[in-house]
């Protein structure tokens, strides 16, 4: 089992940057595919990015390609989401997730953090 805690959210102006971190407990972090999802009020949970167990392969949603980067540090049991050129439509609660299958479908992830709010003002 793994426990996840996100940090780094906040209020930022459009065009700004934020770096989200997700710290994982346990010694099996490197055995999980890690993902970031987001959910805005009244909307479904949306895939943002995922990274393979080794960190060598990443996937990004089309809406964030060229602006966001996902990475992981298995020695530190941490996954990151670097968000640049933020837009008001990026406003959401961002969730970190761990799964043995991974992918862009949220039900393929087994463990979730409580989320961190990101608000982008225009």
């Amino acid at each position: 089992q793994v426990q996840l805690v996100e940090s780094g959210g906040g209020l930022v102006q459009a065009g700004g940057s934020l770096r989200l971190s997700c710290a994982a407990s346990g010694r099996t972090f490197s055995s999980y595919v890690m993902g970031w999802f987001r959910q805005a009020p009244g909307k479904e949970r949306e895939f943002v990015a995922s990274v393979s167990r080794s960190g060598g392969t990443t996937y990004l949603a089309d809406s964030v390609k060229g602006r966001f980067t996902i990475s992981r540090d298995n020695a530190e049991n941490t996954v990151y989401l670097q968000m640049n050129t933020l837009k008001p439509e990026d406003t959401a609660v961002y969730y970190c997730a761990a799964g043995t299958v991974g992918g862009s479908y949220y039900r393929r992830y087994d463990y979730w953090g409580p989320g961190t709010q990101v608000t982008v003002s225009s």
Side-chain angles (χ1 to χ4, degrees), residues 8-110:
L11 174 64
V12 64
Q13 288 188 332
S17 298
L18 283 174
R19 188 194 197 199
L20 304 184
S21 299
C22 173
S25 66
R27 295 178 289 179
T28 59
F29 176 74
S30 61
S31 66
Y32 292 98
V33 174
M34 299 300 297
W36 285 96
F37 289 76
R38 65 187 181 186
Q39 189 165 18
K43 295 188 177 182
E44 293 186 353
R45 192 162 295 193
E46 175 189 22
F47 171 76
V48 176
S50 65
V51 59
S52 63
R53 294 170 179 79
S54 68
T57 302
T58 62
Y59 295 98
L60 294 166
D62 288 343
S63 59
V64 305
K65 280 181 181 176
R67 301 188 298 122
F68 291 12
T69 303
I70 186 172
S71 61
R72 67 189 296 165
D73 184 338
N74 286 341
E76 296 294 329
N77 282 10
T78 304
V79 61
Y80 303 98
L81 185 68
Q82 178 67 44
M83 306 186 295
N84 299 327
T85 319
L86 282 160
K87 304 176 181 179
E89 51 263 44
D90 294 318
T91 295
V93 177
Y94 282 71
Y95 298 92
C96 170
T100 55
V101 177
S104 61
Y105 186 39
Y106 71 92
R107 291 192 181 274
R108 290 186 172 183
Y109 291 82
D110 305 301

